[in-house]
């Protein structure tokens, strides 16, 4: 039986008891296969709730990431070059 949101919230509060507390001993005896199938069913349910971005959103987000990465690479390259020149001039002095 699936837990309700209320039961899940109450489990996290110290000193509270829920209806699922009494069945914990039986839940520990559940085998590997039922746990895996339960996890898979919950995963399918959650994946149905996901709203995936469209092609246009994905392309625009990818373009933004590439541009930001190139800007950061250029900045760090300039800083590295400048610090290298400063270090080289100090050591050759």
């Amino acid at each position: 039986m699936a837990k309700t949101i209320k039961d899940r919230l109450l489990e996290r509060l110290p000193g509270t008891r829920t209806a699922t507390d009494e069945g914990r001993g039986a839940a520990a005896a559940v085998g590997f296969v039922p746990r895996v199938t339960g996890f898979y069913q919950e995963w399918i349910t959650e994946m149905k709730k996901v709203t995936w971005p469209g092609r246009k959103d994905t392309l625009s987000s990818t373009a933004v990431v590439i541009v930001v990465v190139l800007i950061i690479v250029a900045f760090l390259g300039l800083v590295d070059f400048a610090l290298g020149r400063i270090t080289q001039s100090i050591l050759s002095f």
Side-chain angles (χ1 to χ4, degrees):
M1 183 172 161
K3 297 178 184 177
T4 65
I5 293 174
K6 180 182 176 184
D7 286 339
R8 289 182 182 185
L9 290 174
L10 288 176
E11 283 178 348
R12 294 184 172 96
L13 294 174
T16 59
R17 294 187 56 97
T18 63
T20 58
D21 286 343
E22 288 80 28
R24 290 204 179 193
V30 175
F32 177 75
V33 174
R35 288 189 304 176
V36 170
T37 56
F39 172 79
Y40 181 70
Q41 289 172 349
E42 288 181 20
W43 180 76
I44 292 293
T45 303
E46 291 299 321
M47 292 307 287
K48 288 179 182 178
K49 296 177 186 177
V50 173
T51 55
W52 298 100
R55 182 176 176 88
K56 183 178 177 183
D57 293 334
T58 304
L59 289 175
S60 64
S61 297
T62 302
V64 168
V65 168
I66 290 172
V67 168
V68 168
V69 166
L70 290 176
I71 291 170
I72 291 172
V73 165
F75 174 74
L76 291 177
L78 288 173
V79 169
D80 182 49
F81 179 75
L83 290 175
R85 296 292 270 190
I86 292 169
T87 305
Q88 186 178 20
S89 67
I90 291 173
L91 292 176
S92 66
F93 182 65

